[in-house]
Amino acid sequence: MTTVHIGCGAGFANDRPDAALALANDLAARDGRRFLFFELLAERTLAEAQLRRLANPDSGYASRLFDFLEPVLETCLAAGIPIITNGGAANPSAAARRLRQQLQGGRFACARIACVLGDDLLDSRDAVQRWLPESLDGEVVSVNVYTGADGIVQALDEGADIVLCGRVADPSLAVGPLRHAFGWQAEDWDRIALATAVGHLLECCTQVSGGYFAHPGLKNVPDLANVGCPIARIEADGRVTIGKAAGTGGCVTERTVKEQLLYEVHDPAAYLTPDVTMDLSQARVRQVGPDLVEVEGVRGHPRPAELKGLIGLRGNWFAEAEISYAGPGALARAALARDVLLQRCARLAPQLTPWIDLIGVASLFNDARGQWLQQRLANAQDPQDVRLRISFVDRDKALLENLLLDAESLYTNGPAGGGGVRRHLTESLGTASFFIPRTAVQQQVEWF
């Protein structure tokens, strides 16, 4: 096998399912081995999935997993394109059972479904307690470890058509297919680093093909509303070219690739993953055609002895309320509403410090103490519309509900012309990280 094509159809849990159809059609038209993966997990996504699993043993996979799978399933199975995803989240087995039921009696009833398990340590946390933080702020609802590509390789080697994983690291979704297709050894560090670079470039899906990139006048992106999913072409000799699905919007340029290559990388010379320590310090990118960029110079070093784990915590609630002021003097009235809320909160909940933004004046750059907002109030021009937002985090749900109702009372007890109140109260999931020896974590492959 000399050429492998890998496409990514989603970069997070609520990405666009329709974009993956053009990707699947493009892959089906190509020669060589083809793989499609969906990256559907984030840190709090997994904790939320564990809560759903605890409430219902048939739930706990990514909430939109089947929105992504169903449009491309027939195309991929017919063309022999394996699908790999970490959308199994907290319950890959439940997702596999549902998928098997859907396939029964149809054209692809014999499709082979594999689950890669072993990352979930919630039920065995007593055995790994010595590696967990001593004190945690909240009830533990999930304990998962970022695992590597070994289980994916095993599943594909044994003929899997669909591989449903839990918390494998994002780049491993590409490392697995490349190790399988080319027979690369797990300790061939330069090749595994190359495969990891492919996974890292694709894992956020359209970010490498123009999404999260556009800045009109500085970085223009054509047809952003139809930005296409990325495809990597990998040759057996290690040449990598990044492109995108045919007939889609967006662009793949040196700049989009450079931005994604460095995205969320703490140390370009030593990016730690479960599969390899990746060195991007000598990486080079070069435009080789329209929407085609070649990547080279990635080096690898031995993988870390430890794996990163993530603990999901519950116990807090997040509350927020908003109200708008418009027209002449909008800013002065919003500032007065802020003063009223600060006084009311000091009376009703003196132990809490509310976060208050004036959207349109100070929000993204604001701080918990409101110092940035105070500076802006002293110098801001008088905008014609301002939206006040107040928020709290606390364990006392009833208290937060009362504070939100008090904020709504600005309708009749606050400055003139307030309107458009919105109140929202939801559980706030927290996270804590830890490190565990990789020898303490064992992946398993189960078939459905």
Side-chain angles (χ1 to χ4, degrees), residues 289-412:
D291 294 318
L292 290 174
V293 173
E294 189 175 80
V295 180
E296 58 184 354
V298 179
R299 301 299 303 273
H301 306 288
R303 61 193 181 189
E306 294 180 313
L307 298 173
K308 180 182 177 180
L310 199 67
I311 301 169
L313 302 164
R314 73 185 305 184
N316 282 323
W317 293 86
F318 172 68
E320 61 178 339
E322 297 178 2
I323 186 170
S324 292
Y325 296 90
L331 179 56
R333 286 180 283 130
L336 176 57
R338 171 179 175 266
D339 292 342
V340 169
L341 289 176
L342 287 172
Q343 293 178 55
R344 296 290 296 172
C345 290
R347 183 184 309 169
L348 298 172
Q351 74 277 22
L352 297 184
T353 300
W355 185 301
I356 300 180
D357 296 324
L358 295 184
I359 300 170
V361 179
S363 54
L364 293 179
F365 290 149
N366 204 12
D367 56 273
R369 297 177 61 188
Q371 292 178 318
W372 172 256
L373 177 54
Q374 284 297 127
Q375 295 175 26
R376 293 287 295 153
L377 287 174
N379 300 297
Q381 310 239 337
D382 189 16
Q384 290 297 295
D385 62 85
V386 180
R387 188 158 178 84
L388 181 150
R389 173 185 176 273
I390 184 170
S391 64
F392 313 83
V393 175
D394 196 65
R395 294 182 180 279
D396 192 335
K397 182 181 180 183
L399 174 63
L400 295 182
E401 288 175 330
N402 189 49
L403 291 172
L404 293 184
L405 290 169
D406 196 76
E408 186 171 356
S409 73
L410 287 172
Y411 264 138
T412 55

Side-chain angles (χ1 to χ4, degrees), residues 11 39 42-43 170 200 203-204 207 212 258-268 271-272 280:
E39 200 289 288
E43 294 180 347
D170 300 350
H200 178 64
E203 69 188 41
C204 294
Q207 281 190 195
Y212 202 55
K258 287 178 181 178
E259 283 199 14
Q260 180 58 29
L261 198 61
L262 295 175
Y263 183 71
E264 295 182 337
V265 170
H266 61 284
D267 182 352
Y271 182 55
L272 304 178
L280 300 172

Side-chain angles (χ1 to χ4, degrees), residues 243-258:
K244 65 182 183 69
T248 62
C251 58
V252 178
T253 68
E254 291 184 9
R255 297 178 76 182
T256 67
V257 171
K258 287 178 181 178

